[in-house]
Amino acid sequence: MGGATTEEAVQLLHGVGVFEALAEPDLRRIAQLAVRRSFSAGDVIFREGDASDTCYVVYSGHARAIREHGDGRSITLAHFGPGDIFGELAIFDDEKRSATMESLDELQVIGIPGPDFRRLISAHGDLAMRLVVAMSRKLREANERLTRQSFQTVQSRVATVLADLVADARKEGAGELDVLVTVTQADIAQLAGSSRESASRFLAVLERAGVISQGRGRIIVNDPNALRGYVY
């Protein structure tokens, strides 16, 4: 793998939900296809409508998926950090990209070319079956998450988004208290499926309660455990 060892790639892939059920030999075959790529903050990795030929696993840094409108507005669909995979449908077909992906800070990923990957699974049918099972599990979890959100209040959805971002930050070494998450109010609102005004009002409530502190493009969650009281 260009820029990193196969062992590093195997270790990274082992923690990715789509690949976690695969045996060591399978992970090693995939790792040998991977190529390291680097992006600066604000770089576009690919755009909505681009040809889909590579999937990516985040090695370090953060990225977000957005949908762009003709009037210049954009909607944040998801955030990604170390160990997350995006563009994974490229390993199965060459459909157009469904969203634009951009880096939020210094980002390093490993790219797995779709055509190479498809040749690999053609030669190893059992690998294809295990991947289908893993992808089905991921889709089911996404559907369950959307169902839960449909019954939650705005406050509960925003608190859940913050709790998820805290969990991601802790995977990268953040402590128990005063957890920094690099995210804007607009991103939180979009991730929670609410208006910016509603999300902003609730964030102000959390700030007055001492649960969070807000800054430009970032939030410090002073007391992550307190968020549980708002999730129902």
Side-chain angles (χ1 to χ4, degrees):
M1 183 182 74
T5 67
T6 298
E7 295 303 324
E8 287 176 321
V10 169
Q11 184 177 3
L12 179 62
L13 293 173
H14 186 71
V16 177
V18 175
F19 301 130
E20 63 185 0
L22 301 183
E24 183 82 8
D26 291 331
L27 292 175
R28 193 165 295 279
R29 292 186 187 101
I30 297 170
Q32 289 170 349
L33 302 176
V35 177
R36 177 82 70 88
R37 294 189 63 189
S38 299
F39 299 91
S40 299
D43 283 353
V44 172
I45 302 159
F46 54 75
R47 292 192 180 279
E48 182 179 352
D50 283 353
S52 175
D53 61 357
T54 304
C55 76
Y56 299 92
V57 179
V58 179
Y59 190 82
S60 64
H62 304 83
R64 67 172 180 168
I66 59 175
R67 276 279 180 88
E68 299 171 321
H69 294 270
D71 60 6
R73 292 179 301 154
S74 64
I75 297 176
T76 299
L77 303 176
H79 274 222
F80 300 85
D84 290 335
I85 186 172
F86 59 85
E88 62 267 37
L89 293 182
I91 64 180
F92 292 108
D93 58 41
D94 293 323
E95 288 295 317
K96 301 295 185 182
R97 298 291 191 187
S98 60
T100 294
M101 187 68 59
E102 64 178 24
S103 55
L104 294 173
D105 48 22
E106 294 295 322
L107 177 71
Q108 291 194 29
V109 299
I110 61 171
I112 304 172
D116 292 343
F117 194 92
R118 288 192 287 277
R119 282 192 289 272
L120 176 63
I121 60 179
S122 293
H124 301 275
D126 53 340
L127 170 58
M129 181 57 67
R130 286 193 289 272
L131 280 172
V132 168
V133 170
M135 292 287 283
S136 298
R137 185 185 305 120
K138 184 176 181 180
L139 179 60
R140 183 166 58 250
E141 291 171 352
N143 287 337
E144 290 173 353
R145 184 171 61 255
L146 288 173
T147 300
R148 286 196 304 271
Q149 279 193 343
S150 67
F151 291 102
Q152 288 179 308
T153 63
V154 169
Q155 291 85 351
S156 183
R157 295 200 301 270
V158 169
T160 298
V161 167
L162 282 174
D164 289 344
L165 292 171
V166 166
D168 291 341
R170 283 176 171 168
K171 291 177 185 176
E172 298 177 51
E176 292 299 310
L177 300 174
D178 300 328
V179 179
L180 172 65
V181 293
T182 304
V183 66
T184 66
Q185 286 189 358
D187 282 349
I188 289 178
Q190 291 160 6
L191 291 169
S194 73
S195 69
R196 181 170 181 175
E197 292 75 14
S198 295
S200 178
R201 283 196 296 270
F202 180 59
L203 290 171
V205 169
L206 292 178
E207 188 165 33
R208 287 195 295 271
V211 178
I212 68 170
S213 302
Q214 299 189 74
R216 185 179 179 84
R218 67 191 185 104
I219 291 176
I220 296 175
V221 183
N222 305 315
D223 185 3
N225 289 333
L227 291 173
R228 298 174 186 170
Y230 299 92
V231 178
Y232 46 86

